Amino acid sequence: MSTALRKVRGRGQVYGVKSAPYAFLLPAVVLFALFFALPIGYALWLSLHKVEVVGLGLGKGAREQVWAGLGNYAAALTDPELGVGTLRVLGYGAIVIPVMLGLALLFALLLDNEQARARSFSRLAIFLPYAIPGVVAALLWGFLYLPDVSPFHFLLERLGLPQPDLLDGGPLFLSLANIAVWGGAGFNMIVIYTALRSIPAEVYEAAKLDGATPVQIALRIKVPMVAPSLVLTFFFSVIATLQVFSEPTTLRPLTNGIPTTWSPLMKVYDDAFVGGDVYAASATAVVLAAATFVLSFALLRISSSRMTHRGSR
C-alpha cells in the first residue's frame, strides 16, 4: 500500500471519529428545533402581531394580520384576570409546596431508617400516585369531592357532622392542593431518597460513635447533606405550581367555583381556543415563561449563594 493511500485512509478515519459525536447529537438537535425552539419562535412572532378588522369583518380581506409591537404585552400585563389568576396560583403554591416537600422528606427519612421494613413496597406505594395521569387523578378526586357520590359526605352525614363544600370557596384551594400533593410527593421522595442512599455509611457510624440518636442523625446530618436535592425539588415544585392547568380544568365542569381563568395557563387557553385570540394568548404565554425563568434564576442564585456561604464556613 502506498504512503499516499495510507494518508488518505488515515484522514478519513480521523474525520469519521471526529464527526461521530455530531451524528449522534443530530437527532436530538432536530427534535429540539422542531418541537421546542420553533414553537417558541412562532409564539414570539404571534405575540408581536394582531388581527385588524375592516368594517363588519366579512368578506375577503376584511381581517388582516398586522404588526402590533408590544401592544399585546401591555394588554397582558394590565389584564386584571391574569393578575387575579396569578394570586390564586401563589396561594395554591403556598399550600402545595411546603406540604408536598415536607411529606417527601419525611417519607425519604423513614425509608432510609435502618429499622424500616418493606422498603421496596413502600417506595412503590408512595411513588405510584405520580404515575397516574393528572387528568385521571383530578377526575378520581373530583368525584370523591362531589356531595352526591362522595363516601366522605355519606359518612359525615351518618355521623351528624357538617359537610363542607370542597369544590367552592376556601376549601377549593385545599382540594386542588390535595391532588397535587397526592401525586407529587412520591416523585420528590424518590429524588431525596436517592440522595440519602448516596451518603457514605461511615458518616452515620461516626455519628453513632459520638452518641447521636436517629433523630439527631436525621436532622443534623441527613437533611443538610441532601440540601441540593431539596433545592432541586423546590425548583421543580415552583415551576409545576406556576403551570397548574389540568387539575382545575378537569374539576371545572363539576363546580361553579372555578372560572375559566382560574390560573394563568387557563387564561391562555381561554384566550386562544375560546376567545380565538391566539396573538394575545401568545403574549401572555411569553410573559408567563419569562416570569418563570426570572423567578427560577433568582431562586437558584439565592440558593447557590447560601450554599457557597455555608461551605466557606
Side-chain angles (χ1 to χ4, degrees):
M1 185 180 295
S2 63
T3 305
L5 183 59
R6 290 195 187 98
K7 289 183 178 181
V8 172
R9 289 189 175 181
R11 291 176 182 176
Q13 291 175 358
V14 172
Y15 178 78
V17 171
K18 289 185 177 180
S19 61
Y22 299 100
F24 284 112
L25 286 174
L26 183 60
V29 172
V30 172
L31 291 175
F32 176 84
L34 290 177
F35 299 102
F36 190 81
L38 186 61
I40 290 178
Y42 185 57
L44 287 171
W45 184 83
L46 286 176
S47 66
L48 298 173
H49 293 77
K50 66 178 181 179
V51 170
E52 192 174 73
V53 180
V54 179
L56 298 177
L58 303 176
K60 186 177 181 180
R63 300 172 64 89
E64 183 181 2
Q65 182 176 268
V66 297
W67 176 261
L70 299 178
N72 290 328
Y73 290 97
L77 293 173
T78 57
D79 191 342
E81 290 185 345
L82 181 62
V84 174
T86 303
L87 292 177
R88 290 196 194 99
V89 167
L90 292 177
Y92 165 83
I95 301 172
V96 171
I97 295 176
V99 175
M100 181 170 59
L101 296 185
L103 288 176
L105 179 61
L106 177 61
F107 291 151
L109 292 174
L110 291 175
L111 290 174
D112 192 58
N113 195 318
E114 294 179 353
Q115 300 178 354
R117 297 293 182 267
R119 293 184 182 180
S120 299
F121 174 79
S122 300
R123 287 199 306 268
L124 179 61
I126 298 172
F127 179 77
L128 186 60
Y130 177 76
I132 299 176
V135 175
V136 176
L139 284 175
L140 171 66
W141 283 102
F143 284 107
L144 290 176
Y145 294 151
L146 279 177
D148 295 336
V149 297
S150 174
F152 304 128
H153 282 265
F154 176 77
L155 292 176
L156 292 175
E157 182 181 2
R158 288 301 181 94
L159 295 174
L161 299 175
Q163 307 170 37
D165 187 357
L166 298 176
L167 293 176
D168 195 11
L172 175 62
F173 283 84
L174 298 178
S175 301
L176 291 170
N178 173 65
I179 300 174
V181 171
W182 180 76
F187 170 80
N188 295 305
M189 180 272 297
I190 292 295
V191 175
I192 300 172
Y193 179 75
T194 303
L196 286 172
R197 300 302 294 176
S198 65
I199 300 176
E202 292 80 5
V203 177
Y204 302 146
E205 294 176 0
K208 291 178 182 178
L209 291 176
D210 291 338
T213 64
V215 176
Q216 290 175 333
I217 292 175
L219 296 179
R220 299 183 181 181
I221 297 178
K222 292 184 178 181
V223 174
M225 294 192 74
V226 299
S229 297
L230 292 174
V231 172
L232 178 65
T233 54
F234 176 75
F235 288 151
F236 286 162
S237 301
V238 169
I239 294 173
T241 299
L242 295 176
Q243 296 178 350
V244 61
F245 176 79
S246 61
E247 292 86 354
T249 302
T250 305
L251 291 181
R252 201 176 71 82
L254 305 179
T255 176
N256 295 325
I258 303 179
T260 56
T261 57
W262 190 88
S263 70
L265 282 187
M266 292 178 67
K267 175 72 167 57
V268 173
Y269 180 87
D270 186 71
D271 289 343
F273 300 104
V274 178
D277 191 353
V278 295
Y279 308 96
S282 299
T284 306
V286 172
V287 169
L288 293 176
T292 303
F293 174 79
V294 171
L295 180 61
S296 301
F297 181 77
L299 293 175
L300 181 61
R301 290 296 300 269
I302 293 173
S303 62
S304 299
S305 62
R306 287 185 177 181
M307 295 295 292
T308 303
H309 180 67
R310 288 180 181 178
S312 62
R313 289 183 179 180

